[in-house]
Structures are given as C-alpha cells and as structure tokens.
Amino acid sequence: MAVRFVFILILTVVTTISGSIFFLSEPDQEHPEYHFDSTRWVPSYHQSLVKVLSDYGIEDGWISKSEPAGRRIKRPVWVIKTPKDLPVTDLHTEMSQVLTAESPLRLEGYDNRKDQIVSLHAFDGKSVVASYLFELTDKVTRQNSDIYLLVLPEKEETDIPGIIRSKVLQATVLLPADPVSSAQKLAADLSGNAIDFGMLIPAGDGKLTISSALAQKDILQRKNKLSVIFPAASVYLMNDRSVRTDPEKQPKFRTRSVLTSESVLKSTKDLDLVLSQQKGKSKYQIYLVSSEFPGDQELQDRLAALTKKGYRFRYFRDFREADYSDPARQVKKPAAKPTPKKKVRK
C-alpha cells in the first residue's frame, strides 16, 4: 500500500512539473502573455546589431542563424563565433543602446564563461523575441595589429601637437638630430612629460650622421655619442639602409627597413588605406606620419573605432620584436641522441 502511494505521489509531481514546463514554454491562446508575437522583431533591428558586431571586428562569416531543436516557438536565434579577446561587456552595452533607441525591446545578458557562452536575449517584457549566442573560441581571431606611429615634426617646429601632449594618441615623436642644442631642449621637455620620443638621423655629412662609409669603430663612437646626448630616446631611425646594426643591443638603432610602409601618412584616410592593405599580414605595423596627421579632426573618432576592432596604438619604447615572433619557430628541436660507438674487438 505504501509503495503504491509513493508511486502515485511521484507520478503526480512529475506530471505537474511537465505540465508547468509545457505551459511556460508553448503558446497559449487563453494566456496571451505567454504567446510569442513574431511581429515584435523587425529585420532592421538585426541589421543594426550586425553593424555593431562589425564595428568590433566580428566578420559576417562568423554569424549563423540557428533553429533551436525541440521548440515550437520559432524565434530567431543567431550563433556568433567570438574571439576570446573581444570585450563582450562593452559589446553588450552598445548593442543594448542601439536596440533600445530603435525599438521597445531591451537586451538581457547571461554570462556562462564555464561553457564558453555569453547569450543576449531581446525581451519585450513578456517573452524573448530573439537571441544572440556568443561562442567564445580560439578558432577565430580579429584581423588586428599593434600600431606604432613615428611622428615627423618640421625642423623649425618647437611645439608638439596637442593630441600627443594630451596622450590621447600614443605616438613616438622623432626629433631631428641636428642642430643638437634645440633637439636636446625639446627632448628634455618631452622626457619630463613622459612623452615618448626618438631621434631621426639623416644621411649625409652631418655631425651626427652614421654613414656606411664610416669604419665600424667610428660607427660605434657615433652611437655612443648619441646615446649619451639623448639617453631617453626610445629609437634612433637612420635613413641609411646600408648600415648594419645589432637590433638586440641598446640603444635601438633602426633603418627605414623597419617601416611597414615607405609613404608618410598625412591623414586618417591614409591610415585607413595602409591598414586595409596590411590587414592580417602582421601582428605589428610601424608607420611614419607627418606632423599634420595628429591635427586631423577625424582622427580621434577613428582611433575609438579602430580600438573597438582590437587595434592597439603603442609607444615605440614598448616595441619588442620577440613579442611578435612565430611561436612555431621558437620550439626547440630535441637534441639528437649521440650514436653509440660500436666496440670493436681486437
């Protein structure tokens, strides 16, 4: 008797739970508050949200529409392969702002990093009308780079553009090495304000020129002289390609061959062009930019957009070539085992 009572009780509980799940998950004509209204979701909402995803470097091929199995409510669900370095919290905030501005909907987020899933659900106050599932994965990467801008001020210029002084733009100012006195004065000013700078060493017969015609001993003397006069310079950029220097030793003497592009960038459009040409080719990019470049009115807005995509603007003093080397090349091959010599009986 007791066994039958327990069996009936369990069956009643299971039936109640199943009915509740069905009641809450399926359309109910008698309870319209649980009925999914497909007219609440407009395709233009999705297009606006895809634009936000694109701004963060998510490519169209990473977005796929999914049909959740076992559901009679056919709400749209998109699955998005997402690089792990993408700031999902910032992305959620911006997507919410865009959707709220265009519709009566709001986005509710659920962060389940244990299963590598972050989900955003468009909610109308009664039911979910669309979902975005972000699958965090190492299989996709944003086409971004660390960008190093070397700014070339005019020789007669004594002031550095305000955007550099305010440190809105991380860029390294290149000072002409001649004349020494004015260069030293400006170098001291920049160093005192924690602004990164380097030295531009011209080709020719100048007093501080490092020429390929010099003997190696003379080249080292000029290097030492420069490093004493301008000890805080993060880089010495030489116009003479034929000088061979050891990039691993300090201070850093570099020829123009280190540059990603030979052209001097003068506007934001120039920057966009070279970035599109170099997309995905290197983890770092180094450009010469004119003193006009930081004055471009569109630059600050463009910096924010590029930062969203994952580009980083950095000072040249932080440049380490080893940071960008191919890990596969760094794998040391196991040393070959010495072949044992056969003993020959005499």
Side-chain angles (χ1 to χ4, degrees):
M1 186 71 179
V3 174
R4 183 181 297 177
F5 175 78
V6 172
F7 176 78
I8 294 173
L9 180 62
I10 293 173
L11 184 61
T12 303
V13 172
V14 170
T15 304
T16 303
I17 293 174
S18 301
S20 300
I21 293 173
F22 180 84
F23 176 79
L24 293 174
S25 62
E26 299 296 323
D28 190 338
Q29 299 299 332
E30 295 180 3
H31 299 83
E33 64 270 22
Y34 294 109
H35 184 67
F36 171 67
D37 184 1
S38 60
T39 63
R40 302 289 285 174
W41 184 255
V42 181
S44 62
Y45 299 162
H46 176 67
Q47 293 169 6
S48 297
L49 295 180
V50 167
K51 173 63 171 62
V52 179
L53 295 174
S54 176
D55 289 342
Y56 277 82
I58 293 179
E59 300 178 8
D60 291 342
W62 302 350
I63 306 172
S64 59
K65 199 169 182 179
S66 173
E67 294 292 340
R71 291 189 181 180
R72 291 173 60 188
I73 301 177
K74 298 298 182 182
R75 65 174 63 90
V77 177
W78 285 272
V79 179
I80 303 161
K81 293 180 181 178
T82 309
K84 290 185 178 180
D85 71 326
L86 190 144
V88 179
T89 302
D90 295 341
L91 177 61
H92 175 201
T93 300
E94 193 158 340
M95 289 178 69
S96 296
Q97 291 172 348
V98 168
L99 187 61
T100 303
E102 295 188 13
S103 74
L105 305 172
R106 66 177 186 267
L107 276 180
E108 294 190 349
Y110 297 91
D111 192 338
N112 186 4
R113 297 298 173 100
K114 182 179 178 181
D115 295 328
Q116 302 297 309
I117 293 286
V118 176
S119 58
L120 301 181
H121 305 281
F123 188 64
D124 66 356
K126 296 179 181 179
S127 59
V128 173
V129 297
S131 297
Y132 290 83
L133 307 180
F134 295 86
E135 293 183 346
L136 306 181
T137 176
D138 293 322
K139 294 181 179 179
V140 295
T141 56
R142 294 186 289 175
Q143 300 294 336
N144 49 28
S145 303
D146 285 353
I147 301 174
Y148 298 85
L149 300 179
L150 305 180
V151 183
L152 288 170
E154 300 297 333
K155 282 194 174 184
E156 64 272 10
E157 186 177 26
T158 56
D159 192 26
I160 301 302
I163 191 172
I164 294 177
R165 284 196 175 276
S166 63
K167 300 178 185 177
V168 172
L169 173 65
Q170 291 189 358
T172 298
V173 182
L174 286 180
L175 304 179
D178 293 323
V180 177
S181 57
S182 59
Q184 273 188 302
K185 182 179 179 182
L186 188 51
D189 179 35
L190 294 175
S191 181
N193 287 282
I195 298 173
D196 190 35
F197 75 92
M199 304 302 303
L200 179 65
I201 305 170
D205 298 324
K207 292 180 180 179
L208 296 178
T209 300
I210 299 180
S211 169
S212 58
L214 294 175
Q216 187 65 27
K217 180 180 178 182
D218 295 328
I219 292 175
L220 291 175
Q221 287 177 349
R222 300 290 174 89
K223 284 184 183 181
N224 294 336
K225 186 176 181 181
L226 282 171
S227 61
V228 170
I229 298 175
F230 304 104
S234 64
V235 61
Y236 299 88
L237 186 68
M238 300 177 293
N239 282 336
D240 195 336
R241 288 176 176 269
S242 61
V243 177
R244 293 186 178 182
T245 59
D246 186 351
E248 299 300 324
K249 294 181 180 179
Q250 297 296 330
K252 296 177 186 174
F253 284 84
R254 301 279 187 175
T255 63
R256 291 176 72 98
S257 59
V258 73
L259 300 175
T260 304
S261 171
E262 277 292 331
S263 59
V264 179
L265 311 184
K266 296 183 178 180
S267 67
T268 307
K269 290 182 180 178
D270 292 343
L271 177 62
D272 286 338
L273 177 62
V274 292
L275 290 182
S276 65
Q277 293 172 341
Q278 297 296 325
K279 187 175 181 180
K281 290 184 179 180
S282 176
K283 293 180 181 179
Y284 69 88
Q285 300 178 42
I286 305 172
Y287 298 105
L288 280 178
V289 300
S290 72
S291 55
E292 303 167 11
F293 179 82
D296 192 333
Q297 293 183 352
E298 299 177 0
L299 180 59
Q300 291 196 39
D301 292 337
R302 195 73 192 99
L303 290 176
L306 289 171
T307 302
K308 277 186 195 176
K309 285 183 179 289
Y311 287 98
R312 294 194 306 173
F313 289 83
R314 305 186 65 187
Y315 295 120
F316 202 87
R317 64 185 173 209
D318 301 322
F319 179 71
R320 298 288 185 275
E321 214 160 12
D323 295 343
Y324 307 96
S325 57
D326 185 358
R329 295 180 182 178
Q330 294 182 2
V331 176
K332 293 183 178 180
K333 294 182 179 180
K337 295 181 178 179
T339 305
K341 294 182 179 180
K342 294 182 178 180
K343 294 183 179 179
V344 180
R345 294 182 180 179
K346 293 183 179 179

